[in-house]
């Protein structure tokens, strides 16, 4: 990940932080609390471990996520949101609400019920 030095507006930087398929979903999952790598992998359908690690690395570099490594064997690492990540989660929550509205309009109520969203 390389941060650009020139932007048209601050929204471009925010977009760079969250762009891609997985970062908003990772932030959403971490909004539920601390998670290990394996826990995140189980909760995010379709993501590979390599992709998860790459996305977490970028989120760490942008200051959205932190990790805590516990001493001992086997190695145990948990990821969690920083204050900045929690703030970003507020925007992602609005995006989630819009997605729920659109799914309701599209008669996908059963899916939303299965996920506990309505």
């Amino acid at each position: 990940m390389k941060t650009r030095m020139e932007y048209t507006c601050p929204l471009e930087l925010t977009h760079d932080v969250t762009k891609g398929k997985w970062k908003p979903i990772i932030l959403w999952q971490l909004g539920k609390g601390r998670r290990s790598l394996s826990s995140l992998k189980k909760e995010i359908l379709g993501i590979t471990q390599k992709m998860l690690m790459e996305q977490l690395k970028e989120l760490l570099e942008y200051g959205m996520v932190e990790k805590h490594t516990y001493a001992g064997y086997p190695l145990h690492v948990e990821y969690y949101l920083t204050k900045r990540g929690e703030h970003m989660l507020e925007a992602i929550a609005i995006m989630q609400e819009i997605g729920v509205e659109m799914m309701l309009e599209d008669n996908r109520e059963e899916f939303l019920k299965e996920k506990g969203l309505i």
Side-chain angles (χ1 to χ4, degrees), residues 7 15 22-23 38 46 50 65 71-73 77 79 82 84 87 89 96-97 116:
Y7 290 95
H15 179 262
W22 301 113
K23 287 186 201 128
S38 62
K50 179 183 177 202
V65 170
Y73 183 83
V77 178
Y79 294 87
T82 62
R84 182 180 290 164
H87 195 190
L89 188 60
Q96 170 88 338
E97 290 172 18

Side-chain angles (χ1 to χ4, degrees), residues 70-107:
Y70 294 89
Y73 183 83
L75 181 65
H76 181 70
V77 178
E78 286 184 338
Y79 294 87
Y80 58 94
L81 294 178
T82 62
K83 292 288 183 198
R84 182 180 290 164
E86 290 172 359
H87 195 190
M88 182 66 77
L89 188 60
E90 294 173 24
I92 293 170
I94 293 169
M95 292 167 43
Q96 170 88 338
E97 290 172 18
I98 293 168
V100 168
E101 290 172 9
M102 293 173 72
M103 287 183 141
L104 286 171
E105 291 170 6
D106 217 18
N107 297 316

Side-chain angles (χ1 to χ4, degrees), residues 1 7 10 17 37 39-40 68 80-81 93 95 98 100 112 117:
M1 171 209 62
Y7 290 95
V17 172
L37 189 67
S39 173
L40 283 168
H68 181 81
Y80 58 94
L81 294 178
M95 292 167 43
I98 293 168
V100 168
L112 295 170
L117 297 170

